Amino acid sequence: MKKKVLAALLAGCMAMSLVACGGGDSSSDSSSAAEANTDDGADAEGTVETVSPGKLTVATSPDFAPYEFYAIDEDGNPTLSGFDMDLAQYIADYMGLELEVITVDFDGVLSELQTKSVDLGMAGLSPDPARESIMDFSDIYYTGGQSLVTVKDNADKYNSFESINTPDVTVGAQTGSIQLDLANENSPEADIISLPKVTDIISELLAGTMDAAYIETAVAESYQKNYPDLEIVMEVPYDQEGSSIGVVKDNPELLAAVNEAIAAAIDDGSLEQYIADATELAAGQTYEGLLDESGNVQQ
Ligand code: ARG
């Protein structure tokens, strides 16, 4: 029953607009642009240009707890949450801008940046050198790690690169992600399937229609709390470890302001708090991670 209500809300939310619904405390409360942060200099001279004046437009892909996901509030409303979203609000406030979040699949985050339709992509994004032509990268603000994930029943079977590197094993990774590169590099013989959402990958693993998947460790651990059938079988080496913010190209003032804000959020303990809060929220009863293509909760 509750799931039905939620499904309807989510469908409505997505149908109306791509702009994030709900938002709660992670949405725009930074109305007094001119007054914000006058002591820090990031906005003092008003030199930072954004795609929509007065706003900081951020693309994200909310299938990636605890970075970004929908938490369900007391009224049953899905609310865009996660430490990326809190950090986005912090950066917007720091720059004296109003935050606007656009939700798309992860490959959409990359193309929004490439087409310069948004200012930032905040999606647990890896500073992959292959992306340097379409975006700039902020300083690293979080370090996760990569994992190979399966379900408990298969944990003895799929526990090495060799064991999954065969055509009769289906191996998943998110479309456009570095995890897909890791799958291609480490298990080239496998039947590699790319799906637009990490939550789709998780539901395929749980349904037994996918054997193993490459997922960021922090994200796998988060979903594992809600779906204990998942098993992280091994760590996967990756040489560009860490998450950064994708910044629209050719806007060095914006890049500098974002790096300044990240440093401030680390220094004053905000980021640490956001990570703790998001980790807790993602593991709570109110969280539902499995959404289908239309944003409906899967049964
Ligand atoms: N860190 C990986 C990458 O940059 C995956 C990011 C996926 N993010 C998301 N919100 N689904 O390719």
Side-chain angles (χ1 to χ4, degrees):
M1 169 73 171
K2 195 180 166 203
K3 282 194 167 185
K4 286 262 163 55
V5 175
L6 167 60
L9 282 167
L10 269 171
C13 176
M14 304 221 161
M16 278 188 308
S17 158
L18 279 177
V19 175
C21 297
D25 60 1
S26 69
S27 77
S28 53
D29 59 339
S30 58
S31 47
S32 53
E35 288 156 42
N37 190 46
T38 40
D39 54 340
D40 273 297
D43 66 335
E45 292 160 58
T47 50
V48 180
E49 273 181 35
T50 56
V51 293
S52 183
K55 287 186 176 174
L56 184 70
T57 308
V58 175
T60 194
S61 168
D63 60 353
F64 212 57
Y67 285 92
E68 46 265 335
F69 58 99
Y70 290 106
I72 308 306
D73 68 15
E74 315 87 71
D75 304 322
N77 296 317
T79 305
L80 191 58
S81 309
F83 66 84
D84 269 351
M85 297 300 94
D86 290 338
L87 182 60
Q89 185 65 60
Y90 185 101
I91 295 170
D93 289 346
Y94 188 90
M95 295 177 67
L97 298 170
E98 187 189 332
L99 177 64
E100 178 152 333
V101 179
I102 291 171
T103 58
V104 287
D105 287 338
F106 182 67
D107 56 346
V109 174
L110 304 179
S111 53
E112 292 285 330
L113 281 165
Q114 182 166 22
T115 56
K116 299 191 164 186
S117 312
V118 296
D119 300 303
L120 307 178
M122 296 185 67
L125 199 140
S126 309
D128 177 3
R131 296 175 179 155
E132 267 166 8
S133 63
I134 60 168
M135 68 184 75
D136 290 329
F137 298 117
S138 75
D139 295 336
I140 303 273
Y141 62 91
Y142 184 77
T143 304
Q146 312 302 324
S147 286
L148 186 68
V149 182
T150 185
V151 288
K152 288 223 169 348
D153 279 354
N154 285 335
D156 290 338
K157 206 159 133 199
Y158 305 127
N159 56 5
S160 63
F161 290 138
E162 300 72 51
S163 64
I164 60 165
N165 195 22
T166 136
D168 56 341
V169 175
T170 53
V171 173
Q174 185 169 36
T175 310
S177 72
I178 60 95
Q179 285 78 14
L180 187 56
D181 298 336
L182 292 175
N184 286 318
E185 282 159 27
N186 295 302
S187 35
E189 302 302 324
D191 177 16
I192 296 173
I193 298 176
S194 78
L195 294 177
K197 293 182 173 66
V198 171
T199 44
D200 294 339
I201 291 170
I202 286 163
S203 67
E204 299 263 333
L205 284 173
L206 293 170
T209 44
M210 182 182 281
D211 297 314
Y214 290 84
I215 300 177
E216 182 176 320
T217 307
V219 173
E221 284 171 348
S222 183
Y223 287 99
Q224 196 185 32
K225 286 186 193 145
N226 295 60
Y227 303 100
D229 229 18
L230 295 172
E231 178 96 9
I232 298 172
V233 282
M234 61 180 268
E235 223 176 89
V236 177
Y238 176 57
D239 53 13
Q240 299 294 326
E241 218 41 274
S243 299
S244 71
I245 296 173
V247 179
V248 69
K249 261 202 129 22
D250 306 322
N251 194 337
E253 295 83 10
L254 177 61
L255 179 62
V258 166
N259 280 334
E260 225 183 90
I262 291 174
I266 292 171
D267 276 3
D268 70 11
S270 297
L271 183 58
E272 202 180 339
Q273 189 60 50
Y274 297 157
I275 293 167
D277 291 348
T279 303
E280 198 182 318
L281 193 59
Q285 287 301 311
T286 51
Y287 160 68
E288 176 56 77
L290 297 184
L291 308 178
D292 68 17
E293 288 287 298
S294 335
N296 295 325
V297 172
Q298 293 187 357
Q299 302 302 316

